[in-house]
Amino acid sequence: QVKLQESGPGLVTPSQTLSLTCTVSGASIATGFDYWHWIRQPPGKGLEWMGVISYSGSTYYSPHLKSRTFIARDTPKNQVTLQLLSVTPEDTAVYFCAESKKLIIRVTSNEAYEYWGQGTQVTVSS
């Protein structure tokens, strides 16, 4: 069974960088042909697609977050990472990683993704 697990700080200070990790088990980032996404959900709002990294390392980002979003792979650790720079309280959300078998971008329908992590709550507050 493929499982995704998000981890990182639950609280960050405005202007700081948020770093999150998605640890994958039951599948190999290095040898598979999957696409690994970051998606978030602010309180009271719908899902917001942030970006994706392909099995080959290609990245695609939301135009609204592109300038401060970075997604990378750590294949020896079987992990996908997210960095979100210069956070504000508007970045408060539950952050999810998710997997798709085909390349999709800017898609917020949960049925489009094969696997989801449970999500991790991130609060940006001073």
Side-chain angles (χ1 to χ4, degrees):
Q1 179 70 26
V2 177
K3 295 182 179 180
L4 285 66
Q5 179 66 62
E6 304 91 345
S7 61
L11 179 66
V12 294
T13 302
S15 81
Q16 300 300 303
T17 295
L18 170 65
S19 297
L20 296 176
T21 298
C22 176
T23 300
V24 177
S25 61
S28 174
I29 294 174
T31 62
F33 298 93
D34 306 281
Y35 299 82
W36 307 95
H37 304 255
W38 284 99
I39 301 161
R40 69 181 183 180
Q41 186 170 32
K45 299 182 179 180
L47 298 173
E48 178 184 11
W49 185 85
M50 302 182 69
V52 60
I53 187 165
S54 77
Y55 58 88
S56 64
S58 299
T59 55
Y60 303 87
Y61 299 107
S62 166
H64 304 290
L65 300 169
K66 180 179 179 180
S67 64
R68 60 190 185 100
T69 304
F70 300 92
I71 299 173
R73 304 174 299 167
D74 189 338
T75 52
K77 297 181 180 179
N78 213 37
Q79 294 176 333
V80 179
T81 61
L82 169 72
Q83 291 187 303
L84 184 63
L85 281 60
S86 302
V87 299
T88 74
E90 293 182 352
D91 293 311
T92 294
V94 177
Y95 286 74
F96 299 92
C97 55
E99 180 270 354
S100 67
K101 293 185 178 180
K102 302 294 183 181
L103 176 61
I104 54 175
I105 62 172
R106 305 178 68 181
V107 176
T108 56
S109 299
N110 53 24
E111 294 182 349
Y113 301 93
E114 297 289 329
Y115 301 101
W116 291 80
Q118 292 183 336
T120 185
Q121 172 69 49
V122 176
T123 299
V124 181
S125 177
S126 61

